[in-house]
Amino acid sequence: MESPADDLDRRLIIATQAGLPLVARPYDALAAGLGVSAEEVRARLAAMLASGRIRRIGAVPNHYALGYTANGMSVWDVDDARIVELGEAVGRLDFVTHCYERPRALPDWPYNLFAMVHGRDRDTVMEGVGVIARLLGSACRGQDVLFSTAILKKTGLRIGGG
Amino acid sequence: MSASLDALDRRLINTLQEGFPLVDEPWQVVAEALGSTAEEVLERVRRLRETGVLTRFGPMFQIERLGGRFVLAALAVPEERFDEVTAAVNALPEVAHNYRRSHRLNMWFVLATEKPEGIAEAIAKIEAATGLTVFAFPKRREFFVDMRLKA
């Protein structure tokens, strides 16, 4: 599923990774900088959306600014034979923003399912964690919730200009 | 940090989390859906970006589909070394996010690199700079990702 970006896609990614220009005609502004037409810019963006290389074009709010001050990384030791079925079920819960299977790191880290739960307070997050626990039932052998206590860095991805 | 947002700000944030039109004058389309004007919504988005209510506005790239890698990793940092290790880890441009979390593994960060081999290089740099073992948790399966939050 990997397709290295061609030159124009790559230049478009570099031009937009910090964001779209906040002007009335943003695609014209990008096109002028890249030396192509605005139609070409939109066609490239539409193609990257269709292929999944762009998840979405839009806004990412700072969840603290919206009052979502509790952020719990819930982690679960789930029976490997049921991880796909249960991971998909957990991912469908509306308060789960990310859900992944990841490798364990025994003996330090027995957990293989990670589900991020955001809430306006810790009690709300823990209610969500309780829902996940009931859903996993006896397929879960252990769990923990790691609350974030400080954001140490948040820059998002940056690829080089070279 | 809690921002003071009015009803139009909130509707605008919710609308802009759903997508952005690929047309000549996209703010016109957004404004019409909200019963506002292009100038008004654009001005508000500028303010929301400047005040940090929006951390980003634009395309969200799926780095793996572009040949790159994202890997979640963690360190067990001795409390007395926390600030020093934070500075060493944050100094790497490959570190996209870094959070302190309540656990023996108390530092959790995301490595984002343009090439797959960049991950191992970044891990080696962190281990050399800190003397600590990096626990890497590359994803095996993605069941769901959607960061939209109702404003």
Side-chain angles (χ1 to χ4, degrees), chain A residues 10 17 22 53 55-56 59-60 62 97 99 101-102 108 149 152-153 155, chain B residues 16 53 55-56 60 62 90 96 98 100 104 114 137 140-141 144 146:
Chain A
R10 188 183 162 77
Q17 63 185 345
L22 293 178
R53 288 177 292 163
R55 288 182 190 276
R56 184 165 71 233
V60 181
N62 175 328
T97 58
C99 186
E101 180 191 0
R102 301 184 185 278
D108 302 272
T149 53
L152 305 172
K153 184 175 184 182
T155 54
Chain B
L16 292 177
V53 174
T55 56
R56 265 189 68 75
M60 277 158 262
Q62 221 294 28
N90 287 359
N98 188 4
R100 182 170 185 144
R104 192 178 75 80
E114 206 175 336
F137 299 102
R140 284 210 173 130
R141 289 192 182 82
F144 184 77
D146 192 339

PDB file of all heavy atoms in Angstrom, chain A residues 10 17 22 53 55-56 59-60 62 97 99 101-102 108 149 152-153 155, chain B residues 16 53 55-56 60 62 90 96 98 100 104 114 137 140-141 144 146:
ATOM      1  N   ARG A  10       5.163  15.517  -3.497  1.00  0.00           N
ATOM      2  CA  ARG A  10       6.107  15.775  -2.408  1.00  0.00           C
ATOM      3  C   ARG A  10       6.202  17.272  -2.114  1.00  0.00           C
ATOM      4  O   ARG A  10       6.190  17.690  -0.957  1.00  0.00           O
ATOM      5  CB  ARG A  10       7.473  15.216  -2.818  1.00  0.00           C
ATOM      6  CG  ARG A  10       8.471  15.253  -1.720  1.00  0.00           C
ATOM      7  CD  ARG A  10       9.834  14.764  -2.200  1.00  0.00           C
ATOM      8  NE  ARG A  10      10.806  15.234  -1.243  1.00  0.00           N
ATOM      9  CZ  ARG A  10      10.992  14.675  -0.062  1.00  0.00           C
ATOM     10  NH1 ARG A  10      10.302  13.618   0.284  1.00  0.00           N
ATOM     11  NH2 ARG A  10      11.862  15.179   0.784  1.00  0.00           N
ATOM     12  N   GLN A  17       2.282  20.896   4.953  1.00  0.00           N
ATOM     13  CA  GLN A  17       2.350  20.132   6.210  1.00  0.00           C
ATOM     14  C   GLN A  17       2.237  21.028   7.443  1.00  0.00           C
ATOM     15  O   GLN A  17       1.809  20.565   8.491  1.00  0.00           O
ATOM     16  CB  GLN A  17       3.568  19.235   6.270  1.00  0.00           C
ATOM     17  CG  GLN A  17       4.882  19.959   6.253  1.00  0.00           C
ATOM     18  CD  GLN A  17       6.044  18.970   6.205  1.00  0.00           C
ATOM     19  OE1 GLN A  17       5.871  17.793   6.450  1.00  0.00           O
ATOM     20  NE2 GLN A  17       7.214  19.466   5.888  1.00  0.00           N
ATOM     21  N   LEU A  22      -4.168  30.572   5.195  1.00  0.00           N
ATOM     22  CA  LEU A  22      -5.469  31.074   5.666  1.00  0.00           C
ATOM     23  C   LEU A  22      -5.838  32.322   4.870  1.00  0.00           C
ATOM     24  O   LEU A  22      -5.780  33.453   5.366  1.00  0.00           O
ATOM     25  CB  LEU A  22      -5.417  31.343   7.172  1.00  0.00           C
ATOM     26  CG  LEU A  22      -5.254  30.067   8.010  1.00  0.00           C
ATOM     27  CD1 LEU A  22      -5.157  30.400   9.493  1.00  0.00           C
ATOM     28  CD2 LEU A  22      -6.402  29.090   7.767  1.00  0.00           C
ATOM     29  N   ARG A  53      -3.722   8.621   1.437  1.00  0.00           N
ATOM     30  CA  ARG A  53      -2.463   9.254   1.843  1.00  0.00           C
ATOM     31  C   ARG A  53      -2.744  10.525   2.637  1.00  0.00           C
ATOM     32  O   ARG A  53      -1.939  10.932   3.457  1.00  0.00           O
ATOM     33  CB  ARG A  53      -1.599   9.533   0.613  1.00  0.00           C
ATOM     34  CG  ARG A  53      -1.016   8.230   0.044  1.00  0.00           C
ATOM     35  CD  ARG A  53      -0.207   8.459  -1.207  1.00  0.00           C
ATOM     36  NE  ARG A  53      -1.064   8.878  -2.300  1.00  0.00           N
ATOM     37  CZ  ARG A  53      -0.623   9.463  -3.414  1.00  0.00           C
ATOM     38  NH1 ARG A  53       0.664   9.711  -3.551  1.00  0.00           N
ATOM     39  NH2 ARG A  53      -1.455   9.795  -4.358  1.00  0.00           N
ATOM     40  N   ARG A  55      -5.652  11.640   5.277  1.00  0.00           N
ATOM     41  CA  ARG A  55      -6.815  11.121   6.010  1.00  0.00           C
ATOM     42  C   ARG A  55      -8.003  12.056   5.852  1.00  0.00           C
ATOM     43  O   ARG A  55      -9.144  11.624   5.713  1.00  0.00           O
ATOM     44  CB  ARG A  55      -6.518  11.033   7.505  1.00  0.00           C
ATOM     45  CG  ARG A  55      -5.573   9.930   7.897  1.00  0.00           C
ATOM     46  CD  ARG A  55      -5.419   9.945   9.428  1.00  0.00           C
ATOM     47  NE  ARG A  55      -4.357   9.068   9.862  1.00  0.00           N
ATOM     48  CZ  ARG A  55      -4.510   7.746  10.058  1.00  0.00           C
ATOM     49  NH1 ARG A  55      -5.680   7.185   9.851  1.00  0.00           N
ATOM     50  NH2 ARG A  55      -3.493   7.017  10.460  1.00  0.00           N
ATOM     51  N   ARG A  56      -7.707  13.356   5.921  1.00  0.00           N
ATOM     52  CA  ARG A  56      -8.781  14.350   5.919  1.00  0.00           C
ATOM     53  C   ARG A  56      -8.119  15.702   5.751  1.00  0.00           C
ATOM     54  O   ARG A  56      -6.965  15.875   6.114  1.00  0.00           O
ATOM     55  CB  ARG A  56      -9.503  14.280   7.264  1.00  0.00           C
ATOM     56  CG  ARG A  56     -10.703  15.173   7.402  1.00  0.00           C
ATOM     57  CD  ARG A  56     -11.540  14.780   8.595  1.00  0.00           C
ATOM     58  NE  ARG A  56     -10.874  15.103   9.860  1.00  0.00           N
ATOM     59  CZ  ARG A  56     -10.663  14.244  10.837  1.00  0.00           C
ATOM     60  NH1 ARG A  56     -11.045  13.004  10.738  1.00  0.00           N
ATOM     61  NH2 ARG A  56     -10.062  14.635  11.939  1.00  0.00           N
ATOM     62  N   ALA A  59      -9.495  20.735  10.380  1.00  0.00           N
ATOM     63  CA  ALA A  59      -8.931  21.329  11.582  1.00  0.00           C
ATOM     64  C   ALA A  59      -8.618  20.264  12.624  1.00  0.00           C
ATOM     65  O   ALA A  59      -9.349  19.282  12.762  1.00  0.00           O
ATOM     66  CB  ALA A  59      -9.925  22.330  12.177  1.00  0.00           C
ATOM     67  N   VAL A  60      -7.535  20.482  13.349  1.00  0.00           N
ATOM     68  CA  VAL A  60      -7.201  19.661  14.511  1.00  0.00           C
ATOM     69  C   VAL A  60      -7.235  20.564  15.737  1.00  0.00           C
ATOM     70  O   VAL A  60      -6.389  21.444  15.879  1.00  0.00           O
ATOM     71  CB  VAL A  60      -5.792  19.036  14.388  1.00  0.00           C
ATOM     72  CG1 VAL A  60      -5.489  18.170  15.608  1.00  0.00           C
ATOM     73  CG2 VAL A  60      -5.674  18.222  13.108  1.00  0.00           C
ATOM     74  N   ASN A  62      -6.813  21.674  19.641  1.00  0.00           N
ATOM     75  CA  ASN A  62      -6.075  21.342  20.848  1.00  0.00           C
ATOM     76  C   ASN A  62      -7.106  20.840  21.855  1.00  0.00           C
ATOM     77  O   ASN A  62      -8.000  21.579  22.260  1.00  0.00           O
ATOM     78  CB  ASN A  62      -5.396  22.613  21.369  1.00  0.00           C
ATOM     79  CG  ASN A  62      -4.708  22.384  22.706  1.00  0.00           C
ATOM     80  OD1 ASN A  62      -5.157  21.581  23.527  1.00  0.00           O
ATOM     81  ND2 ASN A  62      -3.635  23.098  22.921  1.00  0.00           N
ATOM     82  N   THR A  97     -10.551   7.386  20.557  1.00  0.00           N
ATOM     83  CA  THR A  97     -10.076   8.161  19.403  1.00  0.00           C
ATOM     84  C   THR A  97      -8.993   7.426  18.611  1.00  0.00           C
ATOM     85  O   THR A  97      -8.792   7.736  17.439  1.00  0.00           O
ATOM     86  CB  THR A  97      -9.518   9.533  19.851  1.00  0.00           C
ATOM     87  OG1 THR A  97      -8.462   9.316  20.771  1.00  0.00           O
ATOM     88  CG2 THR A  97     -10.597  10.398  20.459  1.00  0.00           C
ATOM     89  N   CYS A  99      -7.208   3.269  18.308  1.00  0.00           N
ATOM     90  CA  CYS A  99      -7.169   1.911  18.844  1.00  0.00           C
ATOM     91  C   CYS A  99      -6.236   1.075  17.986  1.00  0.00           C
ATOM     92  O   CYS A  99      -6.432   0.983  16.772  1.00  0.00           O
ATOM     93  CB  CYS A  99      -8.582   1.316  18.867  1.00  0.00           C
ATOM     94  SG  CYS A  99      -8.666  -0.291  19.660  1.00  0.00           S
ATOM     95  N   GLU A 101      -3.422  -2.540  17.839  1.00  0.00           N
ATOM     96  CA  GLU A 101      -2.682  -3.656  18.405  1.00  0.00           C
ATOM     97  C   GLU A 101      -1.200  -3.318  18.285  1.00  0.00           C
ATOM     98  O   GLU A 101      -0.743  -2.884  17.216  1.00  0.00           O
ATOM     99  CB  GLU A 101      -2.952  -4.957  17.640  1.00  0.00           C
ATOM    100  CG  GLU A 101      -2.170  -6.128  18.239  1.00  0.00           C
ATOM    101  CD  GLU A 101      -2.178  -7.393  17.378  1.00  0.00           C
ATOM    102  OE1 GLU A 101      -2.793  -7.392  16.297  1.00  0.00           O
ATOM    103  OE2 GLU A 101      -1.539  -8.375  17.801  1.00  0.00           O
ATOM    104  N   ARG A 102      -0.470  -3.524  19.394  1.00  0.00           N
ATOM    105  CA  ARG A 102       0.974  -3.300  19.400  1.00  0.00           C
ATOM    106  C   ARG A 102       1.646  -4.492  20.068  1.00  0.00           C
ATOM    107  O   ARG A 102       0.993  -5.229  20.827  1.00  0.00           O
ATOM    108  CB  ARG A 102       1.314  -2.024  20.189  1.00  0.00           C
ATOM    109  CG  ARG A 102       0.662  -0.758  19.628  1.00  0.00           C
ATOM    110  CD  ARG A 102       1.134   0.469  20.407  1.00  0.00           C
ATOM    111  NE  ARG A 102       0.467   1.695  19.992  1.00  0.00           N
ATOM    112  CZ  ARG A 102       0.795   2.437  18.931  1.00  0.00           C
ATOM    113  NH1 ARG A 102       1.791   2.050  18.150  1.00  0.00           N
ATOM    114  NH2 ARG A 102       0.144   3.544  18.646  1.00  0.00           N
ATOM    115  N   ASP A 108       8.383  -6.432  30.947  1.00  0.00           N
ATOM    116  CA  ASP A 108       8.048  -5.082  31.419  1.00  0.00           C
ATOM    117  C   ASP A 108       6.641  -4.643  31.028  1.00  0.00           C
ATOM    118  O   ASP A 108       6.045  -3.807  31.698  1.00  0.00           O
ATOM    119  CB  ASP A 108       9.044  -4.068  30.835  1.00  0.00           C
ATOM    120  CG  ASP A 108      10.470  -4.391  31.209  1.00  0.00           C
ATOM    121  OD1 ASP A 108      10.900  -3.938  32.273  1.00  0.00           O
ATOM    122  OD2 ASP A 108      11.130  -5.132  30.444  1.00  0.00           O
ATOM    123  N   THR A 149       0.238  13.514  32.178  1.00  0.00           N
ATOM    124  CA  THR A 149       0.333  14.525  33.225  1.00  0.00           C
ATOM    125  C   THR A 149       1.023  15.785  32.721  1.00  0.00           C
ATOM    126  O   THR A 149       1.014  16.804  33.394  1.00  0.00           O
ATOM    127  CB  THR A 149       1.065  13.961  34.459  1.00  0.00           C
ATOM    128  OG1 THR A 149       2.320  13.421  34.038  1.00  0.00           O
ATOM    129  CG2 THR A 149       0.258  12.855  35.119  1.00  0.00           C
ATOM    130  N   LEU A 152       4.998  17.272  26.775  1.00  0.00           N
ATOM    131  CA  LEU A 152       6.412  17.671  26.755  1.00  0.00           C
ATOM    132  C   LEU A 152       6.803  18.232  25.386  1.00  0.00           C
ATOM    133  O   LEU A 152       7.727  19.025  25.274  1.00  0.00           O
ATOM    134  CB  LEU A 152       7.294  16.475  27.105  1.00  0.00           C
ATOM    135  CG  LEU A 152       6.948  15.800  28.447  1.00  0.00           C
ATOM    136  CD1 LEU A 152       7.727  14.511  28.618  1.00  0.00           C
ATOM    137  CD2 LEU A 152       7.227  16.741  29.614  1.00  0.00           C
ATOM    138  N   LYS A 153       6.097  17.786  24.330  1.00  0.00           N
ATOM    139  CA  LYS A 153       6.361  18.284  22.976  1.00  0.00           C
ATOM    140  C   LYS A 153       5.166  17.931  22.113  1.00  0.00           C
ATOM    141  O   LYS A 153       4.580  16.863  22.260  1.00  0.00           O
ATOM    142  CB  LYS A 153       7.623  17.625  22.401  1.00  0.00           C
ATOM    143  CG  LYS A 153       8.018  18.161  21.011  1.00  0.00           C
ATOM    144  CD  LYS A 153       9.341  17.560  20.542  1.00  0.00           C
ATOM    145  CE  LYS A 153       9.785  18.159  19.221  1.00  0.00           C
ATOM    146  NZ  LYS A 153      11.053  17.554  18.726  1.00  0.00           N
ATOM    147  N   THR A 155       4.604  18.756  18.010  1.00  0.00           N
ATOM    148  CA  THR A 155       4.866  19.502  16.775  1.00  0.00           C
ATOM    149  C   THR A 155       4.216  18.871  15.556  1.00  0.00           C
ATOM    150  O   THR A 155       4.103  19.502  14.528  1.00  0.00           O
ATOM    151  CB  THR A 155       6.378  19.593  16.481  1.00  0.00           C
ATOM    152  OG1 THR A 155       6.912  18.277  16.475  1.00  0.00           O
ATOM    153  CG2 THR A 155       7.090  20.443  17.500  1.00  0.00           C
TER     154      THR A 155
ATOM    155  N   LEU B  16     -15.247  22.152  10.654  1.00  0.00           N
ATOM    156  CA  LEU B  16     -13.920  22.030  10.027  1.00  0.00           C
ATOM    157  C   LEU B  16     -13.208  20.736  10.400  1.00  0.00           C
ATOM    158  O   LEU B  16     -12.210  20.390   9.777  1.00  0.00           O
ATOM    159  CB  LEU B  16     -13.040  23.232  10.384  1.00  0.00           C
ATOM    160  CG  LEU B  16     -13.483  24.563   9.784  1.00  0.00           C
ATOM    161  CD1 LEU B  16     -12.571  25.685  10.259  1.00  0.00           C
ATOM    162  CD2 LEU B  16     -13.494  24.508   8.252  1.00  0.00           C
ATOM    163  N   VAL B  53      -6.150  27.292  19.822  1.00  0.00           N
ATOM    164  CA  VAL B  53      -7.331  26.429  19.960  1.00  0.00           C
ATOM    165  C   VAL B  53      -7.302  25.364  18.865  1.00  0.00           C
ATOM    166  O   VAL B  53      -7.644  24.202  19.088  1.00  0.00           O
ATOM    167  CB  VAL B  53      -8.636  27.241  19.884  1.00  0.00           C
ATOM    168  CG1 VAL B  53      -9.847  26.315  19.878  1.00  0.00           C
ATOM    169  CG2 VAL B  53      -8.710  28.209  21.061  1.00  0.00           C
ATOM    170  N   THR B  55      -4.628  23.372  16.633  1.00  0.00           N
ATOM    171  CA  THR B  55      -3.184  23.144  16.525  1.00  0.00           C
ATOM    172  C   THR B  55      -2.769  23.024  15.066  1.00  0.00           C
ATOM    173  O   THR B  55      -1.601  23.218  14.734  1.00  0.00           O
ATOM    174  CB  THR B  55      -2.747  21.865  17.272  1.00  0.00           C
ATOM    175  OG1 THR B  55      -3.494  20.774  16.760  1.00  0.00           O
ATOM    176  CG2 THR B  55      -2.990  21.994  18.747  1.00  0.00           C
ATOM    177  N   ARG B  56      -3.714  22.713  14.204  1.00  0.00           N
ATOM    178  CA  ARG B  56      -3.419  22.556  12.773  1.00  0.00           C
ATOM    179  C   ARG B  56      -4.653  22.893  11.990  1.00  0.00           C
ATOM    180  O   ARG B  56      -5.774  22.697  12.452  1.00  0.00           O
ATOM    181  CB  ARG B  56      -3.117  21.090  12.444  1.00  0.00           C
ATOM    182  CG  ARG B  56      -1.691  20.663  12.426  1.00  0.00           C
ATOM    183  CD  ARG B  56      -1.607  19.249  11.869  1.00  0.00           C
ATOM    184  NE  ARG B  56      -1.953  19.219  10.438  1.00  0.00           N
ATOM    185  CZ  ARG B  56      -1.168  19.636   9.462  1.00  0.00           C
ATOM    186  NH1 ARG B  56       0.014  20.110   9.729  1.00  0.00           N
ATOM    187  NH2 ARG B  56      -1.565  19.588   8.211  1.00  0.00           N
ATOM    188  N   MET B  60      -4.262  16.253   6.692  1.00  0.00           N
ATOM    189  CA  MET B  60      -3.626  15.357   7.663  1.00  0.00           C
ATOM    190  C   MET B  60      -3.089  14.171   6.894  1.00  0.00           C
ATOM    191  O   MET B  60      -3.852  13.370   6.358  1.00  0.00           O
ATOM    192  CB  MET B  60      -4.638  14.904   8.705  1.00  0.00           C
ATOM    193  CG  MET B  60      -4.805  15.918   9.802  1.00  0.00           C
ATOM    194  SD  MET B  60      -6.377  15.685  10.607  1.00  0.00           S
ATOM    195  CE  MET B  60      -7.306  16.925   9.743  1.00  0.00           C
ATOM    196  N   GLN B  62      -1.245  10.631   6.056  1.00  0.00           N
ATOM    197  CA  GLN B  62      -1.052   9.290   6.593  1.00  0.00           C
ATOM    198  C   GLN B  62       0.377   8.921   6.200  1.00  0.00           C
ATOM    199  O   GLN B  62       0.619   8.495   5.077  1.00  0.00           O
ATOM    200  CB  GLN B  62      -2.062   8.351   5.915  1.00  0.00           C
ATOM    201  CG  GLN B  62      -2.740   7.340   6.759  1.00  0.00           C
ATOM    202  CD  GLN B  62      -1.819   6.273   7.311  1.00  0.00           C
ATOM    203  OE1 GLN B  62      -0.623   6.488   7.524  1.00  0.00           O
ATOM    204  NE2 GLN B  62      -2.390   5.119   7.555  1.00  0.00           N
ATOM    205  N   ASN B  90      13.420  15.575  23.203  1.00  0.00           N
ATOM    206  CA  ASN B  90      12.742  16.610  22.411  1.00  0.00           C
ATOM    207  C   ASN B  90      13.658  17.249  21.375  1.00  0.00           C
ATOM    208  O   ASN B  90      13.186  17.813  20.389  1.00  0.00           O
ATOM    209  CB  ASN B  90      12.172  17.694  23.319  1.00  0.00           C
ATOM    210  CG  ASN B  90      10.954  17.227  24.090  1.00  0.00           C
ATOM    211  OD1 ASN B  90      10.516  16.090  23.926  1.00  0.00           O
ATOM    212  ND2 ASN B  90      10.410  18.099  24.924  1.00  0.00           N
ATOM    213  N   ALA B  96       7.750  13.673  17.356  1.00  0.00           N
ATOM    214  CA  ALA B  96       6.624  14.528  16.977  1.00  0.00           C
ATOM    215  C   ALA B  96       5.810  14.955  18.191  1.00  0.00           C
ATOM    216  O   ALA B  96       5.380  16.101  18.277  1.00  0.00           O
ATOM    217  CB  ALA B  96       5.735  13.802  15.968  1.00  0.00           C
ATOM    218  N   ASN B  98       5.434  14.224  22.615  1.00  0.00           N
ATOM    219  CA  ASN B  98       6.025  13.586  23.790  1.00  0.00           C
ATOM    220  C   ASN B  98       5.145  13.926  24.987  1.00  0.00           C
ATOM    221  O   ASN B  98       4.821  15.092  25.210  1.00  0.00           O
ATOM    222  CB  ASN B  98       7.460  14.105  23.992  1.00  0.00           C
ATOM    223  CG  ASN B  98       8.212  13.356  25.079  1.00  0.00           C
ATOM    224  OD1 ASN B  98       7.693  12.394  25.644  1.00  0.00           O
ATOM    225  ND2 ASN B  98       9.423  13.813  25.370  1.00  0.00           N
ATOM    226  N   ARG B 100       4.326  13.090  29.228  1.00  0.00           N
ATOM    227  CA  ARG B 100       4.625  12.444  30.506  1.00  0.00           C
ATOM    228  C   ARG B 100       3.376  11.677  30.930  1.00  0.00           C
ATOM    229  O   ARG B 100       2.266  12.210  30.875  1.00  0.00           O
ATOM    230  CB  ARG B 100       4.969  13.503  31.544  1.00  0.00           C
ATOM    231  CG  ARG B 100       5.332  12.907  32.889  1.00  0.00           C
ATOM    232  CD  ARG B 100       5.887  13.984  33.800  1.00  0.00           C
ATOM    233  NE  ARG B 100       6.340  13.386  35.034  1.00  0.00           N
ATOM    234  CZ  ARG B 100       7.407  13.800  35.722  1.00  0.00           C
ATOM    235  NH1 ARG B 100       8.100  14.824  35.309  1.00  0.00           N
ATOM    236  NH2 ARG B 100       7.756  13.199  36.827  1.00  0.00           N
ATOM    237  N   ARG B 104       5.585   3.425  35.449  1.00  0.00           N
ATOM    238  CA  ARG B 104       7.047   3.289  35.500  1.00  0.00           C
ATOM    239  C   ARG B 104       7.640   3.707  34.141  1.00  0.00           C
ATOM    240  O   ARG B 104       8.672   4.379  34.085  1.00  0.00           O
ATOM    241  CB  ARG B 104       7.439   1.838  35.820  1.00  0.00           C
ATOM    242  CG  ARG B 104       8.916   1.678  36.177  1.00  0.00           C
ATOM    243  CD  ARG B 104       9.262   0.238  36.532  1.00  0.00           C
ATOM    244  NE  ARG B 104       9.320  -0.608  35.358  1.00  0.00           N
ATOM    245  CZ  ARG B 104      10.368  -0.677  34.531  1.00  0.00           C
ATOM    246  NH1 ARG B 104      11.446   0.055  34.757  1.00  0.00           N
ATOM    247  NH2 ARG B 104      10.350  -1.466  33.479  1.00  0.00           N
ATOM    248  N   GLU B 114      10.635   9.930   7.755  1.00  0.00           N
ATOM    249  CA  GLU B 114      10.268   9.887   6.340  1.00  0.00           C
ATOM    250  C   GLU B 114      10.577   8.535   5.716  1.00  0.00           C
ATOM    251  O   GLU B 114       9.941   8.136   4.748  1.00  0.00           O
ATOM    252  CB  GLU B 114      11.045  10.991   5.633  1.00  0.00           C
ATOM    253  CG  GLU B 114      10.393  11.486   4.398  1.00  0.00           C
ATOM    254  CD  GLU B 114      11.158  12.657   3.808  1.00  0.00           C
ATOM    255  OE1 GLU B 114      11.880  13.357   4.550  1.00  0.00           O
ATOM    256  OE2 GLU B 114      11.021  12.843   2.605  1.00  0.00           O
ATOM    257  N   PHE B 137       6.976   0.449  20.371  1.00  0.00           N
ATOM    258  CA  PHE B 137       5.685  -0.225  20.196  1.00  0.00           C
ATOM    259  C   PHE B 137       5.112   0.090  18.821  1.00  0.00           C
ATOM    260  O   PHE B 137       4.119   0.818  18.705  1.00  0.00           O
ATOM    261  CB  PHE B 137       4.706   0.203  21.299  1.00  0.00           C
ATOM    262  CG  PHE B 137       5.170  -0.151  22.687  1.00  0.00           C
ATOM    263  CD1 PHE B 137       5.734   0.812  23.514  1.00  0.00           C
ATOM    264  CD2 PHE B 137       5.044  -1.449  23.171  1.00  0.00           C
ATOM    265  CE1 PHE B 137       6.166   0.501  24.797  1.00  0.00           C
ATOM    266  CE2 PHE B 137       5.477  -1.769  24.453  1.00  0.00           C
ATOM    267  CZ  PHE B 137       6.037  -0.800  25.267  1.00  0.00           C
ATOM    268  N   ARG B 140       0.804  -3.005  15.153  1.00  0.00           N
ATOM    269  CA  ARG B 140       0.616  -4.219  14.362  1.00  0.00           C
ATOM    270  C   ARG B 140      -0.641  -4.094  13.523  1.00  0.00           C
ATOM    271  O   ARG B 140      -0.681  -4.508  12.379  1.00  0.00           O
ATOM    272  CB  ARG B 140       0.474  -5.429  15.288  1.00  0.00           C
ATOM    273  CG  ARG B 140       1.784  -5.865  15.861  1.00  0.00           C
ATOM    274  CD  ARG B 140       1.746  -7.373  16.120  1.00  0.00           C
ATOM    275  NE  ARG B 140       3.057  -7.836  16.517  1.00  0.00           N
ATOM    276  CZ  ARG B 140       3.261  -8.588  17.604  1.00  0.00           C
ATOM    277  NH1 ARG B 140       2.250  -8.960  18.364  1.00  0.00           N
ATOM    278  NH2 ARG B 140       4.484  -8.980  17.890  1.00  0.00           N
ATOM    279  N   ARG B 141      -1.685  -3.589  14.121  1.00  0.00           N
ATOM    280  CA  ARG B 141      -2.941  -3.361  13.397  1.00  0.00           C
ATOM    281  C   ARG B 141      -3.535  -2.052  13.879  1.00  0.00           C
ATOM    282  O   ARG B 141      -3.460  -1.730  15.057  1.00  0.00           O
ATOM    283  CB  ARG B 141      -3.979  -4.461  13.688  1.00  0.00           C
ATOM    284  CG  ARG B 141      -3.667  -5.794  13.095  1.00  0.00           C
ATOM    285  CD  ARG B 141      -4.890  -6.711  13.188  1.00  0.00           C
ATOM    286  NE  ARG B 141      -4.584  -8.021  12.657  1.00  0.00           N
ATOM    287  CZ  ARG B 141      -3.966  -8.984  13.356  1.00  0.00           C
ATOM    288  NH1 ARG B 141      -3.645  -8.797  14.615  1.00  0.00           N
ATOM    289  NH2 ARG B 141      -3.701 -10.155  12.794  1.00  0.00           N
ATOM    290  N   PHE B 144      -8.775   1.650  14.636  1.00  0.00           N
ATOM    291  CA  PHE B 144      -9.556   2.884  14.507  1.00  0.00           C
ATOM    292  C   PHE B 144      -8.670   4.071  14.815  1.00  0.00           C
ATOM    293  O   PHE B 144      -7.894   4.029  15.753  1.00  0.00           O
ATOM    294  CB  PHE B 144     -10.729   2.872  15.499  1.00  0.00           C
ATOM    295  CG  PHE B 144     -11.639   4.055  15.363  1.00  0.00           C
ATOM    296  CD1 PHE B 144     -12.560   4.120  14.339  1.00  0.00           C
ATOM    297  CD2 PHE B 144     -11.553   5.119  16.261  1.00  0.00           C
ATOM    298  CE1 PHE B 144     -13.385   5.215  14.204  1.00  0.00           C
ATOM    299  CE2 PHE B 144     -12.381   6.222  16.125  1.00  0.00           C
ATOM    300  CZ  PHE B 144     -13.301   6.260  15.104  1.00  0.00           C
ATOM    301  N   ASP B 146      -9.460   8.322  14.824  1.00  0.00           N
ATOM    302  CA  ASP B 146     -10.237   9.505  14.464  1.00  0.00           C
ATOM    303  C   ASP B 146     -10.191  10.466  15.637  1.00  0.00           C
ATOM    304  O   ASP B 146     -10.774  10.211  16.676  1.00  0.00           O
ATOM    305  CB  ASP B 146     -11.685   9.146  14.144  1.00  0.00           C
ATOM    306  CG  ASP B 146     -12.387  10.326  13.488  1.00  0.00           C
ATOM    307  OD1 ASP B 146     -11.903  11.464  13.645  1.00  0.00           O
ATOM    308  OD2 ASP B 146     -13.403  10.103  12.828  1.00  0.00           O
TER     309      ASP B 146
END
